[in-house]
Amino acid sequence: GFGVETAPHNNHWCAAALAAAVSVAAGATHSVVHLSVARRNVAMAATSNGVVVAGGCLDAEPGVGAYSCLSPSAVVDVVAADASTTRTTQLPGGARAWASACAVGDDAVVVAGGGTTAAKSAAADLVRVASSTEKNASSFITVSSNASALSQARWGVACATAGSTTYFAGGIGGPHSDYLGVVDACTYDASASTLRCSVAPFELSQVRESMGAVSAESGGTLVSFLGGWNELLDEPNSALVDSFDVSTGERSSSQLSGAAYWPGGARVAGVEYAVDNGALNARDSSASSSEAWTTTALPAPLSGPEELRLAPYESGGAIPSEHVPQNGVTIGDCLACFYGDATTSPLDDEDDVGREAKDSKKNPRTEARSPAVHCFNARTAQWLEPLPCSARHKAGGIAAIGDTIFVAGGYDPDDPNNAPTDVVDVFANVAEGVCA
């Protein structure tokens, strides 16, 4: 196990900036726990019994860029639902960063794809997390692997779950610029503790990587893949949304208000939400829906500078710029929550506007940042006050169990070596006094 530091939620930095647009999650509390080893570019998802943080990159040496991984990790940390203990094991499919993870069933997480700077993986690892009554037992975690589960080895994959099947879409395979549109379907048989993967009977309308994703509601059949990146296009950043009714294979495509890769996505009470660099997009989430999204401007600290929102490369939006896969969790029946690093001042050099390099996808420089969890209350159409994190979690992960949110791993790009963090920020009782 590990120690837990707990304190009532208290936040001041954005009170003035968001005074007209926020309400308060008065009951939320914050604690900090730690991974067994610091790493970035992790795969992260939660079962009802624990949060799985798998793989990642250990590099913290001078000269190793944030988009390289020379020292991958096979470590799997499982944090108990109450954040009181952790158990650690290894990915049998091998050490790798940039994998994608989604929960399936009540007790399992599928970790698929990923790789290193030198190679990509087609493996899918099944991580099963037992009941919380076994959190101190060796049986708390069981793992198995299929080395060739995906149809093509790749990283930059997005995943979304409907029922007992997780869908892994897009990514980059082969040479660096071999963008893919394939969707692999991995079905979990809980009674036999097995995972069976095959190519889905549908594919993306445009090949790309680094998409956001929205899983189906309980009993639902609609999954969506949001935005993305393809540097071979004239405008690499994408606003495209591909949605699939997995019961029929029908695909519908639509457009967000602005292009973004790694946008935020969540589904709350029948409404699908997507966060790009400048707006919150929303639409009814009925199956096979292709209706247009309605858009609402984000509060200023969550938006990139106006000049950058339509730039062809990455803009400064607080949520997409953090490169967190599956960045969005549903809390109760009213909150959609995302990890982001909000800006509190404009660009420090006007010449930086719109000049991010294609190959590095760098963020524009800012004078001050505030890493936090940002929750939108679907009932009141208001953003809550941010829940401040104790560390920067760029290229980390986010997951939730009940009304507790976990944000883990990643790195601080202000660190000259892009050193990863072992911090797990835990926010409990997030819905208290909000979704009642």
Side-chain angles (χ1 to χ4, degrees):
F2 41 71
V4 180
E5 305 160 9
T6 306
H9 164 57
N10 189 17
N11 179 72
H12 301 288
W13 74 266
C14 66
L18 299 182
V22 301
S23 55
V24 180
T29 60
H30 177 227
S31 61
V32 174
V33 296
H34 297 274
L35 301 175
S36 61
V37 60
R39 54 204 195 271
R40 56 175 168 85
N41 302 109
V42 297
M44 182 170 173
T47 74
S48 58
N49 300 322
V51 174
V52 174
V53 184
C57 190
L58 305 170
D59 291 293
E61 296 79 20
V64 179
Y67 300 99
S68 297
C69 184
L70 304 180
S71 302
S73 173
V75 170
V76 178
D77 289 313
V78 179
V79 183
D82 60 3
S84 62
T85 59
T86 187
R87 302 289 297 187
T88 299
T89 187
Q90 299 282 311
L91 286 172
R96 59 200 195 270
W98 304 309
S100 185
C102 273
V104 62
D106 294 327
D107 66 347
V109 166
V110 185
V111 181
T116 67
T117 301
K120 301 176 177 70
S121 174
D125 295 293
L126 181 66
V127 182
R128 298 183 66 230
V129 183
S131 166
S132 58
T133 59
E134 300 179 50
K135 64 185 179 183
N136 294 312
S138 59
S139 58
F140 185 48
I141 315 169
T142 56
V143 292
S144 58
S145 184
N146 180 340
S148 58
L150 299 185
S151 57
Q152 297 185 58
R154 60 198 196 266
W155 64 46
V157 184
C159 67
T161 296
S164 60
T165 301
T166 297
Y167 298 87
F168 293 91
I172 296 180
H176 174 69
S177 57
D178 189 6
Y179 289 90
L180 301 172
V182 66
V183 179
D184 287 307
C186 293
T187 299
Y188 172 52
D189 183 339
S191 62
S193 301
T194 59
L195 189 71
R196 185 182 70 257
C197 299
S198 61
V199 177
F202 45 79
E203 61 182 16
L204 299 175
S205 63
Q206 184 182 82
V207 296
R208 59 201 194 273
E209 64 151 329
S210 302
M211 296 170 288
V214 182
S215 291
E217 293 177 302
S218 177
T221 59
L222 186 73
V223 298
S224 293
F225 298 99
L226 319 169
W229 173 272
N230 183 334
E231 67 181 356
L232 300 183
L233 302 179
D234 291 338
E235 296 188 357
N237 240 349
S238 175
L240 181 62
V241 176
D242 285 323
S243 300
F244 301 96
D245 182 342
V246 300
S247 66
T248 64
E250 179 183 357
R251 182 186 70 204
S252 59
S253 298
S254 56
Q255 296 281 324
L256 300 177
S257 66
Y261 72 99
W262 293 138
R267 198 185 304 275
V268 181
V271 178
E272 191 173 9
Y273 294 95
V275 183
D276 59 35
N277 291 298
L280 175 71
N281 303 263
R283 67 176 181 180
D284 182 271
S285 63
S286 58
S288 71
S289 171
S290 59
E291 68 179 77
W293 299 77
T294 59
T295 62
T296 305
L298 293 172
L302 295 183
S303 297
E306 185 174 356
E307 299 92 333
L308 284 176
R309 290 178 202 156
L310 300 179
Y313 309 122
E314 182 183 351
S315 30
I319 291 165
S321 68
E322 288 302 274
H323 302 180
V324 172
Q326 287 76 249
N327 189 353
V329 295
T330 301
I331 303 297
D333 60 357
C334 79
L335 296 181
C337 299
F338 315 89
Y339 169 73
D341 190 48
T343 60
T344 57
S345 61
L347 290 172
D348 58 54
D349 183 348
E350 292 182 357
D351 291 339
D352 280 347
V353 173
R355 290 171 55 183
E356 303 82 46
K358 289 186 184 180
D359 58 349
S360 66
K361 296 180 269 188
K362 291 176 63 179
N363 294 321
R365 290 179 290 152
T366 53
E367 294 177 0
R369 310 193 72 93
S370 294
V373 172
H374 303 271
C375 294
F376 178 76
N377 188 332
R379 290 185 183 174
T380 64
Q382 289 183 312
W383 289 90
L384 305 185
E385 288 188 20
L387 302 169
C389 293
S390 63
R392 183 87 179 265
H393 294 284
K394 183 163 185 169
I398 184 171
I401 302 176
D403 69 347
T404 299
I405 299 172
F406 302 75
V407 186
Y411 73 101
D412 184 345
D414 291 331
D415 182 294
N417 296 329
N418 300 307
T421 182
D422 65 357
V423 168
V424 183
D425 282 297
V426 183
F427 301 96
N429 305 316
V430 173
E432 186 173 317
V434 176
C435 294

